[in-house]
């Protein structure tokens, strides 16, 4: 239940939102205010979500991003919230994923209210096809107990009834109805704008970020626009985070992992061949998005730092699909993330 005070506060926030978000994001106007309780380094979905959470709890937050919000790995993520489908290394990680999915449910309305953005949230469930009977028990996602509501088995007949666009050459499929997806750039920007609406400051285009460390620990950061002091620093800048962690005497080995996605649109005559649920398999994912596109990914290249979409990856994405019913109308997406 929302009390009257909360309603008044929300109306006040929404009234001032356009003014707050229309202010220049350049470095002008930030000088002279280079202190914060917490500095967050990195303007991807993780950094922006942290800034939002801390600002919502009343902290003075300053987020630094070297380019633009959501221009790194977050702009090329598939946006799948795969708590029941992902391969986790431990039950603890699986439980954390389930908690994260529930938290996103709870945040959707507030993010939309504060930011004025549509994050493309959908809960249509994920399908994991099983090609052969011998593969039935090889599903290694079961790192946490599954309930009858979180995982449902479909034989091939049921699978064809529920998803006629699936190949008929499968043994069956797992359907996990609680899984959901978002538009990752929209989500990241919604976190950033909501954090700003709650008082957080965001500076884009900040380069040469280094930690200020003395005998008492981390005291702040040195950047291309000056020195910034704080009580806490949160490193959330992906691959570059390893360097910063070393400056604080911490070892966090990372490896670049390149994922490649093709964004396509189905022709008007596709009919029942257009997927309406995400396919989440070992060698492919097919994600129908809220913006009308279908995102197809089929490559994970460890150690690859080539910042372009490569032809072999593009072919790999499309070769897994039945030929002849896709109308390609969109450029591909690509990005890197740490592992």
């Amino acid at each position: 239940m929302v009390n009257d005070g909360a309603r008044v506060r929300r109306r006040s926030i929404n009234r001032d939102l356009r003014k707050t978000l229309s202010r220049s994001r350049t470095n002008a106007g930030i000088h002279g205010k280079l202190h914060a309780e917490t500095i967050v380094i990195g303007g991807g979905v993780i950094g922006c979500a942290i800034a939002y959470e801390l600002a919502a709890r009343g902290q003075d937050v300053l987020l630094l991003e070297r380019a633009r919000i959501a221009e790194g790995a977050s702009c090329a993520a598939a946006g799948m919230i795969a708590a029941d489908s992902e391969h986790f290394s431990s039950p603890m990680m699986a439980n954390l994923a389930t908690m994260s999915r529930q938290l996103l449910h709870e945040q959707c309305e507030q993010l939309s209210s504060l930011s004025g953005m549509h994050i493309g949230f959908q809960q249509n469930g994920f399908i994991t096809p099983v090609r052969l009977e011998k593969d039935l028990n090889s599903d290694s996602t079961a790192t946490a107990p599954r309930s009858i509501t979180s995982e449902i088995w479909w034989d091939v007949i049921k699978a064809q009834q529920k998803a006629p666009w699936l190949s008929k050459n499968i043994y069956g499929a797992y359907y996990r109805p609680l899984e959901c997806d978002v538009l990752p750039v929209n989500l990241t920007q919604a976190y950033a704008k909501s954090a700003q609406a709650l008082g957080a400051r965001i500076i884009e285009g900040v380069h040469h970020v280094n930690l200020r460390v003395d005998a008492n620990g981390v005291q702040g950061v040195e950047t291309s626009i000056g020195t910034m002091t704080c009580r806490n620093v949160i490193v959330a800048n992906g691959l570059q985070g390893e360097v910063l962690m070393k400056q604080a005497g911490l070892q966090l080995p990372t490896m670049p992992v390149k994922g490649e996605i093709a964004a396509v649109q189905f022709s008007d005559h596709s009919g029942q061949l257009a997927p309406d649920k995400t396919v989440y398999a070992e060698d492919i994912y097919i994600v129908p998005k809220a913006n009308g596109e279908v995102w197809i990914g089929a490559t994970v290249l460890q150690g690859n730092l080539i910042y372009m979409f490569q032809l072999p990856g593009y072919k790999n994405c499309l070769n897994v699909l039945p030929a002849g019913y896709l109308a390609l109308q969109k450029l591909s997406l690509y990005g890197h993330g740490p592992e």
Side-chain angles (χ1 to χ4, degrees):
M1 180 177 295
V2 179
N3 59 36
D4 291 339
R7 289 195 181 95
V8 170
R9 181 174 179 273
R10 179 173 292 183
R11 284 198 296 270
S12 176
I13 289 173
N14 290 337
R15 211 171 28 242
D16 296 335
L17 183 59
R18 290 187 179 277
K19 184 190 299 182
T20 301
L21 300 182
S22 65
R23 292 173 185 162
S24 172
R25 285 185 169 185
T26 64
N27 300 330
I30 299 295
H31 290 286
K33 302 178 182 179
L34 300 180
H35 176 80
E37 184 176 0
T38 298
I39 292 177
V40 179
I41 303 173
V45 66
I46 300 299
C48 291
I50 291 171
Y52 164 74
E53 284 287 345
L54 293 178
R57 299 175 192 185
Q59 279 204 29
D60 175 28
V61 181
L62 176 60
L63 184 146
L64 307 178
E65 162 56 35
R66 66 174 180 169
R68 302 281 290 179
I69 294 297
E71 276 198 354
S74 296
C75 81
M80 297 179 289
I81 317 299
D84 295 326
S85 304
E86 182 62 89
H87 293 230
F88 293 105
S89 58
S90 70
M92 181 182 70
M93 292 299 297
N95 289 334
L96 286 172
T98 301
M99 292 168 60
S100 296
R101 184 178 62 194
Q102 180 59 37
L103 182 61
L104 184 60
H105 275 270
E106 297 168 0
Q107 291 177 338
C108 278
E109 182 180 352
Q110 180 77 345
L111 289 174
S112 176
S113 175
L114 288 172
S115 70
M117 294 193 65
H118 172 55
I119 66 172
F121 180 86
Q122 302 181 123
Q123 188 173 38
N124 298 323
F126 288 11
I127 298 171
T128 298
V130 176
R131 292 182 176 136
L132 302 170
E133 183 176 4
K134 68 180 180 64
D135 299 328
L136 187 60
N137 296 320
S138 64
D139 179 21
S140 58
T141 64
T143 53
R146 297 283 183 238
S147 70
I148 193 171
T149 58
S150 66
E151 184 174 271
I152 302 168
W153 171 251
W154 291 343
D155 61 23
V156 64
I157 296 175
K158 188 74 169 180
Q160 284 295 304
Q161 291 173 345
K162 294 291 187 177
W165 39 268
L166 274 178
S167 169
K168 296 180 181 179
N169 300 318
I170 60 172
Y171 179 73
Y174 287 106
Y175 174 55
R176 299 178 175 110
L178 301 181
E179 305 286 56
C180 50
D181 72 275
V182 296
L183 293 169
V185 171
N186 293 40
L187 177 63
T188 305
Q189 293 176 346
Y191 274 130
K193 292 182 178 181
S194 296
Q196 285 182 302
L198 294 171
R201 290 167 288 162
I202 293 177
I203 317 179
E204 297 172 313
V206 180
H207 300 279
H208 311 302
V209 177
N210 292 285
L211 300 183
R212 296 182 65 230
V213 183
D214 62 19
N216 297 314
V218 178
Q219 303 301 316
V221 296
E222 299 282 356
T223 75
S224 59
I225 63 171
T227 299
M228 306 178 186
T229 59
C230 61
R231 293 180 57 189
N232 311 293
V233 173
I234 297 176
V235 177
N237 61 336
L239 290 171
Q240 292 73 38
E242 182 176 2
V243 174
L244 292 178
M245 298 296 280
K246 285 182 179 178
Q247 294 174 3
L250 301 173
Q251 296 294 321
L252 184 67
T254 58
M255 174 186 293
V257 176
K258 183 178 183 182
E260 296 184 320
I261 302 173
V264 305
Q265 291 180 337
F266 281 71
S267 58
D268 293 337
H269 63 270
S270 298
Q272 290 187 320
L273 291 178
D276 58 355
K277 298 176 178 62
T278 291
V279 172
Y280 192 100
E282 183 177 353
D283 57 351
I284 182 73
Y285 50 85
I286 304 170
V287 193
K289 306 304 289 188
N291 62 2
E293 297 174 345
V294 177
W295 295 2
I296 304 166
T299 57
V300 176
L301 306 175
Q302 292 190 355
N304 188 311
L305 273 173
I306 300 175
Y307 284 88
M308 66 178 63
F309 196 72
Q310 296 170 283
L311 186 59
Y314 182 77
K315 289 181 177 178
N316 194 23
C317 287
L318 299 183
N319 283 344
V320 297
L321 298 173
Y325 66 87
L326 289 179
L328 301 181
Q329 301 174 8
K330 195 72 175 178
L331 292 176
S332 55
L333 309 173
Y334 63 92
H336 290 82
E339 183 174 87

